[in-house]
Amino acid sequence: MPKEEKFFKMFQDMGVIITEGAQQLKVMLDDYVDPLTSQRQIKDTEHKGDNQTHLIIKTLNKTFITPLDREDIYSLASKLDDILDLIDASAQRFVMYNVEKPTPEAQQLAFIILKCCQTVERALKHLGGKFEDINDCCVEINALENEADRVCREAISRLFDEEKDPINLIKWKEIYETLEKATDKCEDAANILESVVVKNA
């Protein structure tokens, strides 16, 4: 029977993969030289995340006694996978829409995504340890998500004020919203972690 610690280690490994994807997105937008190659690298990282998610769920199905509620393990694995999916979807849109140059707001959102993912990774490291330390990370993730909301709202508002080309307006509105959704998924993962803390307090 697999040991309990395996789940904590698998979640920690997933945290590393998520941060890797977020770092690649930030580099892609900061050094916008070869977006197609950058997007392919992010897709490879997203595949790594998929494999890790499958491993967690496969282990869950084989484990009789789990260290956390089964539904929490499944939900957390799914939400963490969603973060990488949105990072990949964001990168894809820059390539799909032939974006010539990222806006400062897009770069700012990529930076917030990275900070969110680093904080998620830090929270996952506390699983099986001091659960109260997870709460601090969740508060930070919520604050970062609020900041991403603000940046996205202001970016879209400016878009409607200044952009005359309706096609460009549609493209950038979708890009901003997809980037912001990645931070929403980080908050979803934080909410599950907060629930785990309450149940195990």
Side-chain angles (χ1 to χ4, degrees):
M1 191 179 297
K3 289 185 178 179
E4 292 184 355
E5 289 78 12
K6 280 192 176 180
F7 284 103
F8 301 140
K9 177 68 168 65
M10 284 187 287
F11 277 126
Q12 287 159 10
D13 289 346
M14 185 64 171
V16 172
I17 297 168
I18 289 167
T19 298
E20 181 185 350
Q23 183 69 55
Q24 288 169 331
L25 179 65
K26 184 178 182 298
V27 169
M28 174 185 177
L29 299 196
D30 285 349
D31 307 316
Y32 202 70
V33 180
D34 187 357
L36 182 58
T37 297
S38 297
Q39 191 270 320
R40 285 173 179 160
Q41 289 171 344
I42 291 168
K43 174 57 77 177
D44 289 342
T45 304
E46 192 264 337
H47 282 319
K48 277 166 61 179
D50 282 343
N51 291 336
Q52 188 66 13
T53 302
H54 294 318
L55 177 62
I56 293 169
I57 293 168
K58 185 178 174 184
T59 306
L60 179 62
N61 290 333
K62 289 181 176 180
T63 306
F64 182 64
I65 298 171
T66 56
L68 308 171
D69 284 355
R70 303 181 77 82
E71 59 268 25
D72 288 336
I73 292 173
Y74 182 82
S75 295
L76 184 57
S78 298
K79 295 302 180 189
L80 294 173
D81 189 52
D82 287 345
I83 297 170
L84 272 174
D85 287 346
L86 263 298
I87 289 171
D88 178 46
S90 298
Q92 281 182 32
R93 273 152 181 77
F94 282 90
V95 174
M96 192 167 57
Y97 295 150
N98 295 311
V99 172
E100 290 182 13
K101 183 182 174 184
T103 61
E105 292 92 343
Q107 291 171 326
Q108 192 176 355
L109 284 166
F111 176 70
I112 296 170
I113 290 168
L114 176 58
K115 296 293 285 182
C116 273
C117 290
Q118 287 171 335
T119 311
V120 168
E121 181 187 354
R122 202 164 72 242
L124 292 170
K125 284 179 181 173
H126 293 304
L127 278 175
K130 294 172 107 180
F131 278 107
E132 59 267 25
D133 290 336
I134 293 174
N135 274 335
D136 294 337
C137 295
C138 292
V139 169
E140 190 176 332
I141 292 164
N142 290 337
L144 287 164
E145 194 277 331
N146 288 338
E147 176 68 5
D149 270 346
R150 183 192 63 76
V151 172
C152 184
R153 276 196 312 271
E154 291 179 2
I156 291 173
S157 175
R158 196 158 76 87
L159 198 59
F160 277 93
D161 284 342
E162 299 177 4
E163 183 56 67
K164 305 304 178 193
D165 184 343
I167 301 298
N168 273 339
L169 191 149
I170 292 166
K171 284 181 183 179
W172 275 107
K173 183 175 181 290
E174 187 178 333
I175 288 170
Y176 290 142
E177 287 175 344
T178 306
L179 286 163
E180 196 278 324
K181 278 179 192 169
T183 65
D184 288 343
K185 297 301 179 184
C186 290
E187 188 174 45
D188 288 346
N191 290 339
I192 295 167
L193 286 167
E194 282 181 327
S195 171
V196 165
V197 170
V198 171
K199 290 177 184 178
N200 291 274

